[in-house]
Amino acid sequence: MGTTTTTTSLDAGGEDRVMAAAQQIVKSLNTAKEVREDMLLIFSSFDNRLSNITNLIKKDSDSTGVRFDAAEKVILRWDSSSSNPDTSRHSLPWEDSPHEAAEYLSAVDEILKLVVDVSIRSDNEIMDRAEAAVQLAMSRLEDEFRLILIRNTVPLDAEGLYGSIRRVSLSFAVNEGEIDEEFESFGEVDSVRGCFHDRGASLGDDLCVDLINADAVVELKEIADRMIRSGYEKECVQTYSNVRRDALDEYLVILGVEKLSIEEVQKIEWKALDEKMKKWIQAIKITVRVLLSGEKRLCDQIFNGFDSIKEICFSETAKGCVMQLLNFGEAVAIGKRSSEKLFRILDMYDVLADALLDLEMMITDEFLCSEAKGVLSGLGEAAKGTFVEFENAVKSEASKKPMQNGEIHPLTRYVMNYVKLLVDYSKTLNLLLESDEDEEDDGLQSEDSELETTTPFAKRLLLLISSLESNLEEKSKLYEDGALHCIFLMNNILYIVQKVKDSELGKLLGDNWVRKRRGQVRQYATSYLRACWMKALYCLKDEGIGGSSNNASKVTLKERFKNFNACFEEIYRIQTGWKVPDPQLREELRISISEKVIPAYRSFMGRFGSQLESGRNSGKYIKYTPEDLENYLLDLFEGSPLILHHMRRKNS
């Protein structure tokens, strides 16, 4: 019994193994159904253990057919193009029918699984139906993919993004002063309307926004997986990139970036162009740091596992948006150069240089990266060229109208405010000017000893300010009055010194440069005293009066006092109208005058005043006490002309 039982068990086990082997052989033969059946009959004649294989294969085939029919029915039920209303349904939004969506995806999975089954692949009828079902399913999934993308696109909160940009504002204003027509190249500058330069700093490093509702990303990935596995990756990529490209275009509109040709950009007036440049700078930051990084993250999520496809998707999505921004940058780079554009061009260069690093990490499209590098290079050349234009304008500005009150010239204000702001771009300008450094060395040989730093930008600044100083020296020659000539140069050189000393310019040009200019101001103050007060002081000299202090010629004394009074009154009338804006310089000048004039007047009065005071009409000659003169000196250099009328000393 034991032996018989064991044999029976072995026979059963052997039958299973033979059956499995036979099934595998038949399945591996990609032959027509009739041929397979003939081969099964032949196998069964070899061994009675194979007598049941036909039934098993038939049962398996029937089961496969049932599964296929069920999956096909689900797909056909959602065929909106079918003419049979009993077997078709119009497509509902995918998110509104999650159960039916899951059923549909399962049906697609079932057909894709059965299609790779050899037993079906050998059946031409089934394969034709399977291919038709897959094609129909992919058309439906493509529509759903597009619809989900569109419905779940998150609107851009531009105000929120702008608020997240840390803003740095730099004022660029110049004060009152008439500007000659030849000075128009320096922009519109007056006491009412100055220039204001606003630089936007970088976005926060942790700024991140969802461009597609998070719940929809899972559904999109499920659809993308089926389309790619079905060989419909081209349609999937095209649908995705088209929808997302349109979304990015809409985002740019919200950010204030218009689609403009190069010709259109170059026709825009400066004020309008400046606004567009500011919006472009913000748009570059937001586009690269937020939108494109979001798109990259989205592609990584939806097309996870398909590296080449997600790279293509991202590149195709980003290309239009990036090229639109680059086209504007190129238009600015090749546009007409003028000094007021320099700061904005440098801002554009800086923001694109930063963005390029991120772009190269995100985008594998060599053409797009090459275009971005080309525009960056163009903006760099435009910045250098504009800086050169500014230097040339400073050298050649030749307005012939002197400042009536010896005030600070508008050219001085403009240039110094301009270069003070330029210091914020030292790093960029050093980089851009480095290649030109050798060309400038010869022109700097005479000034080089003044520099405490030797960066390319510092050298160019030294040349620029030297050109300004030379221009101011020429303008000072327009004054016929030697004293006003000195006041003008004092005002302007001191203004230059203060702008340098009170900013980062001081670090570039150094303490020696500042000390030398302060020395020049003191020299001009000495020259002013000599040019202006020598005639008045000569009236207070003893020479030519005759005799001792007790018997000096009264006629001569009267003439001396009379001349001094006239001289002082004329100086007072003129120089109360002169302007020395700096309070410290104004006070120092008054003290210097007082130290020269008041002691001399007091001494002269002490020696000779008594000889006239006892006579008739003494007040006609001795009009002022030393204290009177000291008080009147406080009115000088205020910019408001005054006249001393009938100022006579009261007799006791």
Side-chain angles (χ1 to χ4, degrees):
M1 288 292 290
T3 305
T4 304
T5 303
T6 303
T7 304
T8 303
S9 177
L10 287 171
D11 288 344
E15 182 178 341
D16 289 342
R17 287 194 293 274
V18 172
M19 187 75 74
Q23 283 180 298
Q24 188 60 40
I25 292 171
V26 173
K27 284 187 177 183
S28 66
L29 296 172
N30 188 12
T31 58
K33 182 178 180 181
E34 294 79 5
V35 176
R36 293 204 311 274
E37 291 175 351
D38 290 342
M39 293 190 70
L40 289 172
L41 290 172
I42 295 171
F43 281 154
S44 63
S45 66
F46 289 152
D47 192 323
N48 61 1
R49 287 177 297 181
L50 296 175
S51 58
N52 292 328
I53 194 168
T54 304
N55 293 331
L56 291 171
I57 298 298
K58 184 176 185 301
K59 185 184 292 186
D60 183 60
S61 176
D62 291 343
S63 173
T64 301
V66 170
R67 289 162 54 202
F68 176 80
D69 289 342
E72 183 186 43
K73 184 178 179 181
V74 171
I75 290 172
L76 291 175
R77 189 170 73 240
W78 287 87
D79 179 13
S80 59
S81 64
S82 173
S83 59
N84 186 350
D86 296 329
T87 61
S88 69
R89 292 174 59 186
H90 290 292
S91 177
L92 293 172
W94 197 262
E95 308 100 307
D96 296 343
S97 51
H99 173 73
E100 291 171 329
E103 182 187 29
Y104 194 88
L105 290 176
S106 295
V108 173
D109 289 339
E110 186 70 24
I111 290 180
L112 292 177
K113 190 188 303 178
L114 293 173
V115 163
V116 299
D117 192 319
V118 174
S119 63
I120 288 185
R121 291 180 65 84
S122 61
D123 191 323
N124 292 332
E125 180 187 350
I126 294 290
M127 282 304 298
D128 288 344
R129 288 170 60 194
E131 288 176 4
V134 169
Q135 185 176 0
L136 184 61
M138 292 306 110
S139 177
R140 165 71 198 285
L141 290 180
E142 183 180 336
D143 290 341
E144 292 295 344
F145 195 63
R146 180 184 298 104
L147 186 61
I148 293 172
L149 281 169
I150 293 172
R151 287 188 61 178
N152 288 278
T153 293
V154 178
L156 187 68
D157 178 16
E159 290 301 319
L161 287 173
Y162 287 148
S164 68
I165 300 177
R166 297 185 298 274
R167 306 180 72 80
V168 177
S169 299
L170 304 170
S171 64
F172 177 22
V174 291
N175 297 328
E176 67 273 10
E178 295 297 324
I179 303 171
D180 193 84
E181 290 181 3
E182 296 180 51
F183 191 47
E184 287 180 352
S185 61
F186 289 94
E188 195 169 34
V189 182
D190 56 40
S191 58
V192 178
R193 182 173 53 253
C195 301
F196 188 80
H197 183 56
D198 181 17
R199 291 188 72 190
S202 61
L203 288 163
D205 293 335
D206 57 349
L207 186 61
C208 178
V209 298
D210 288 327
L211 304 179
I212 293 285
N213 289 323
D215 293 341
V217 173
V218 176
E219 297 166 351
L220 291 167
K221 176 170 173 50
E222 288 181 343
I223 295 176
D225 285 346
R226 272 74 176 185
M227 292 186 72
I228 294 170
R229 285 195 286 117
S230 301
Y232 281 74
E233 63 271 9
K234 181 178 179 181
E235 289 78 2
C236 185
V237 167
Q238 187 173 6
T239 300
Y240 180 88
S241 58
N242 284 345
V243 174
R244 293 309 303 162
R245 190 161 51 234
D246 289 345
L248 285 178
D249 287 345
E250 183 63 28
Y251 289 159
L252 286 186
V253 172
I254 294 171
L255 293 174
V257 178
E258 304 171 59
K259 279 189 176 179
L260 298 169
S261 68
I262 290 177
E263 292 76 16
E264 288 173 326
V265 172
Q266 293 180 344
K267 291 178 182 177
I268 300 173
E269 293 295 326
W270 163 239
K271 286 185 179 179
L273 180 61
D274 183 49
E275 287 301 313
K276 294 185 186 302
M277 291 166 80
K278 284 195 289 187
K279 288 178 179 177
W280 185 91
I281 290 163
Q282 291 178 331
I284 283 284
K285 293 174 185 175
I286 292 172
T287 298
V288 175
R289 293 293 308 281
V290 179
L291 302 183
L292 293 187
S293 63
E295 289 293 342
K296 181 71 171 174
R297 187 169 59 254
L298 202 55
C299 283
D300 289 343
Q301 292 170 334
I302 294 174
F303 301 102
N304 184 32
F306 306 101
D307 290 346
S308 61
I309 291 176
K310 70 183 179 185
E311 291 294 339
I312 293 171
C313 261
F314 177 69
S315 179
E316 288 300 312
T317 299
K319 185 181 296 183
C321 167
V322 173
M323 286 305 301
Q324 182 181 339
L325 291 168
L326 292 179
N327 286 340
F328 181 85
E330 181 183 5
V332 170
I334 64 177
K336 183 181 178 182
R337 293 170 182 171
S338 56
S339 60
E340 68 269 17
K341 292 182 182 179
L342 180 55
F343 301 104
R344 206 64 75 195
I345 291 174
L346 286 168
D347 284 338
M348 291 177 68
Y349 179 91
D350 283 344
V351 77
L352 184 55
D354 289 340
L356 187 57
L357 298 174
D358 293 325
L359 279 176
E360 288 181 312
M361 292 177 64
M362 288 190 288
I363 297 178
T364 56
D365 189 323
E366 292 184 5
F367 170 77
L368 211 54
C369 291
S370 175
E371 287 291 300
K373 289 177 183 177
V375 172
L376 181 66
S377 176
L379 288 170
E381 289 299 319
K384 284 199 297 184
T386 304
F387 187 55
V388 170
E389 290 283 329
F390 180 68
E391 290 174 322
N392 292 335
V394 173
K395 290 178 185 177
S396 60
E397 199 283 318
S399 55
K400 299 298 183 183
K401 186 177 180 181
M403 304 298 293
Q404 292 184 353
N405 55 6
E407 243 271 48
I408 300 164
H409 198 281
L411 175 65
T412 308
R413 293 185 185 278
Y414 191 98
V415 171
M416 293 313 299
N417 279 288
Y418 196 94
V419 298
K420 185 177 177 180
L421 289 182
L422 276 181
V423 176
D424 291 309
Y425 300 90
S426 294
K427 183 178 178 181
T428 301
L429 285 167
N430 277 324
L431 179 67
L432 294 175
L433 296 172
E434 195 169 12
S435 58
D436 301 334
E437 189 173 4
D438 293 339
E439 300 174 15
E440 301 295 336
D441 282 347
D442 293 341
L444 279 165
Q445 288 178 356
S446 61
E447 298 279 0
D448 198 43
S449 59
E450 294 190 3
L451 277 180
E452 294 181 5
T453 59
T454 56
T455 64
F457 178 52
K459 291 180 180 180
R460 293 290 283 269
L461 272 185
L462 184 61
L463 278 175
L464 178 63
I465 296 177
S466 295
S467 296
L468 172 62
E469 291 172 327
S470 298
N471 197 319
L472 292 172
E473 183 64 40
E474 288 299 311
K475 293 185 187 307
S476 71
K477 297 175 182 177
L478 298 172
Y479 296 103
E480 295 181 3
D481 190 322
L484 187 54
H485 164 98
C486 295
I487 293 292
F488 173 78
L489 288 175
M490 269 191 287
N491 281 334
N492 282 270
I493 292 173
L494 182 61
Y495 184 84
I496 293 171
V497 168
Q498 288 172 335
K499 286 293 181 180
V500 169
K501 188 174 179 294
D502 298 338
S503 71
E504 293 298 310
L505 286 168
K507 295 179 182 178
L508 291 175
L509 299 181
D511 293 337
N512 289 335
W513 188 94
V514 171
R515 279 194 293 271
K516 181 176 179 180
R517 268 66 189 176
R518 287 197 179 280
Q520 289 178 343
V521 173
R522 288 192 294 272
Q523 289 173 5
Y524 285 122
T526 301
S527 298
Y528 157 79
L529 290 172
R530 189 162 43 246
C532 180
W533 292 96
M534 285 297 293
K535 183 178 178 181
L537 290 172
Y538 178 77
C539 298
L540 304 178
K541 297 283 186 180
D542 291 353
E543 292 86 348
I545 292 179
S548 65
S549 58
N550 294 325
N551 57 7
S553 168
K554 288 188 177 182
V555 173
T556 303
L557 284 176
K558 289 179 180 179
E559 189 67 22
R560 288 290 182 87
F561 273 106
K562 183 178 179 182
N563 288 342
F564 175 83
N565 293 337
C567 193
F568 183 86
E569 289 166 4
E570 179 69 4
I571 290 173
Y572 182 89
R573 180 184 67 81
I574 293 173
Q575 297 192 20
T576 50
W578 291 1
K579 181 75 172 177
V580 177
D582 182 73
Q584 184 176 344
L585 176 60
R586 189 167 61 243
E587 182 64 20
E588 287 175 356
L589 282 173
R590 290 168 178 168
I591 291 171
S592 296
I593 296 167
S594 182
E595 288 176 347
K596 290 281 185 182
V597 175
I598 303 304
Y601 184 74
R602 181 176 282 113
S603 174
F604 191 79
M605 276 196 65
R607 295 194 306 275
F608 304 111
S610 59
Q611 297 186 40
L612 298 181
E613 285 178 339
S614 58
R616 295 175 57 190
N617 300 321
S618 62
K620 180 179 178 181
Y621 304 105
I622 306 177
K623 290 183 177 182
Y624 312 111
T625 66
E627 291 72 24
D628 291 334
L629 296 182
E630 212 160 7
N631 287 330
Y632 294 138
L633 288 178
L634 297 178
D635 296 332
L636 300 184
F637 314 125
E638 293 288 350
S640 300
L642 299 173
I643 297 176
L644 294 173
H645 283 299
H646 309 296
M647 302 298 291
R648 297 175 183 275
R649 183 184 171 206
K650 292 181 180 180
N651 292 316
S652 54

